[in-house]
Amino acid sequence: MEEQALVIALVGMLGIGAQWVAWRTGWPAIVLMLAAGFLAGPVLGLMNPEHAFGELLEPMVAIGVALILFEGGLSLDFRELRHSGEAVWRMATLGVVIGWALGAGAAHFVAGLAVPVAVLFGGILVVTGPTVVMPLLRQSSVKTRPASILKWEAIVNDPTGALCAVIAYEYFRKISENPGQSVFEIVPPMIIAAILSGLIGYAAAKAIAWAFPRGAIPEFLKVPVLLVTVVVVFVFANTIEHEAGLVAVTVMGVALANMHVSSIRSIHPFKQNIAVLLVSGIFILLSASLTWDDLYYLDPRRTEGFRFMLFLIALLFFVRPATILLSLLGTSLPWNERLFLAWIAPRGIVLVAISGLFALRLGELGFADGSLLIGLSFAVVVATIVAHGFTVDLVARWLGVKGTTRPGLLIVGSTPWTISLAKQMEALKTPVTIVDPSFQRLALARREGLPTYHGEILNEATEHNLDLTPFQTLVAATDNEAYNALVCNEFAYEIGRDSVYQLGESTEETDRYALPPSIRGRAIFESGFGVEDVNERQRQGWGWRKTRLSDEFSFADAQETLPEGSHMLLVMRESGRLRFFTHAARPEPRSGDTILTFVPPKTVSAEDAAARRKPVEGQPKPQTS
């Protein structure tokens, strides 16, 4: 009991700790979790999951994988997939078949795995995984179209790879149990079981979609009911056919995502938290379960290890490129984007989780190579993340698919003040877009040549039509303070609570007549200007001043050059990152930063202000514009 509690605590600490370090450093979380689990397991001997949990380890991993696949299915909204074009459909259908065949062939003929294990491993290899693809795309700032294709391939192929593995496992399990049966005796029952499992998952999704909006389930029970339903569906479907539960929960997730149940949207943050915990826990458990014998196979000095090194090379330079180039033949996608897609395919947690699950099952069926799958899957993950992670930026630039690397600003509300702010940000080379549901209010922004989006920012359709990836900061500046707060609260989870700002006077927690700070964005300007405040000053002729700091011209010098009554709005770092002056916090400007200030009309020039400071001889003039 004490050993189990210790292992659970250690798994949580290592998994979430690795995720935090990855967030702080930008390193791949999956590599850090692999290192942490391996050090805690075979290297230091701090934990042995198989000894601690015994026979419970397999069902724990199985239920964890089921919940991960369900969460992945919830991300698959067909409305957004339609906007990604024919390429995604080709890669998710024809590409899966080609990739499965080529991956299985490479695993058997190059790596030397037994045919059943090679076929199953080839099916799992079609997955890429949004948990590694999305951070990679954010890091490299790839153009919208290839980034969208890679994102949706990862989301679609996660459950698809699992289904391929289930099909392969069930086929070879039945053959091992009944060696004399023909393909026609084995395959039809499998198809019937898969269809029946899918119907079970769809029926469960339909029941949830009926009960949640009608108040049949209270709000505080919706998340527990959903999670318990997933587990029950998984276990019940498994009683019909081995591993058919993975099919059922995947169908359940996809079906719920496309029934557009409002209650499901409200629990997205919680289910993402559950996914993070499960991903971290399973990865640490599996990596800590590795033994030196598992890794002995990977030693390149041995024949088997050398063959697997060749397999990794074939996977990177033949299987993936051939899969993409063949599946995209005849499409209108430019060749430079096809070549980029042909190179980028990092594998992630789903590959390891599914491999770990079936490695245990294959061993029970008598396939000795099955025990190698965990070590092999970890090697594939590390090899692909290192190869693609360190070259994605170089390859994107070489092929001309590199997007902007500067963090963008999303402005909600088209007013004279926000349009003037957007023009200043464009002058500072910051990507900016103004969003407003009124076509008429956007007219001035369009005349100024500014990027705009006509639509309601809170509508789900916006998620499918507006790529939010480039934007790391949001400012809500409509004439409705409550609406601004609603927008900030909605996007706080995605963009970050410290990166959503709004116009509107700051309030105290004790003011019962005002919106509480906990549900609103940070009030920009230290004075907490409201919407009417900036609009009135805009009508009076207020404008903007940009001041660049240097080693010779400090923040204190910049403050002295500003006219009386000026209000500093933001600091732009040399990297392009934006930090706003707010009522609650003031960024610390440093050399190389640019300060954007809202200044009154008819102000004295910067030179006159500097002259009044009685500068010492030889002191440089301020750099303002």
Side-chain angles (χ1 to χ4, degrees), residues 557-572:
D557 297 328
Q559 287 178 300
E560 292 186 27
T561 67
L562 293 175
E564 185 177 354
S566 299
H567 296 272
M568 293 184 179
L569 175 65
L570 61 85
V571 169
M572 187 180 75

Side-chain angles (χ1 to χ4, degrees), residues 80 130 133-134 137 146-156 463:
E80 185 172 348
V133 169
M134 295 308 296
L137 296 177
S148 177
I149 292 173
L150 285 173
K151 166 191 167 184
W152 279 106
E153 180 202 18
I155 292 174
V156 174
E463 298 178 18

Side-chain angles (χ1 to χ4, degrees), residues 586-609:
R586 166 185 281 202
E588 297 182 5
R590 50 181 180 260
S591 177
D593 291 348
T594 299
I595 300 174
L596 183 63
T597 308
F598 198 38
V599 297
K602 299 181 181 179
T603 60
V604 293
S605 67
E607 289 78 7
D608 291 339

Side-chain angles (χ1 to χ4, degrees), residues 434-454:
I434 298 177
V435 180
D436 199 294
S438 170
F439 192 78
Q440 183 178 1
R441 285 197 296 266
L442 287 172
L444 179 57
R446 290 195 300 272
R447 285 198 296 269
E448 295 289 346
L450 295 169
T452 62
Y453 174 78
H454 177 221

Side-chain angles (χ1 to χ4, degrees), residues 136 221 302 496 506:
L136 199 68
L221 281 180
R302 302 178 69 246
S506 58

Side-chain angles (χ1 to χ4, degrees), residues 30 125-128 132 315 345-349 351 380-381 384-385 388:
I30 199 167
L125 286 175
V126 304
V127 308
T128 48
V132 287
L315 188 66
R347 269 59 171 199
I349 181 62
L351 172 69
V380 169
V381 166
T384 54
I385 287 179
H388 300 143

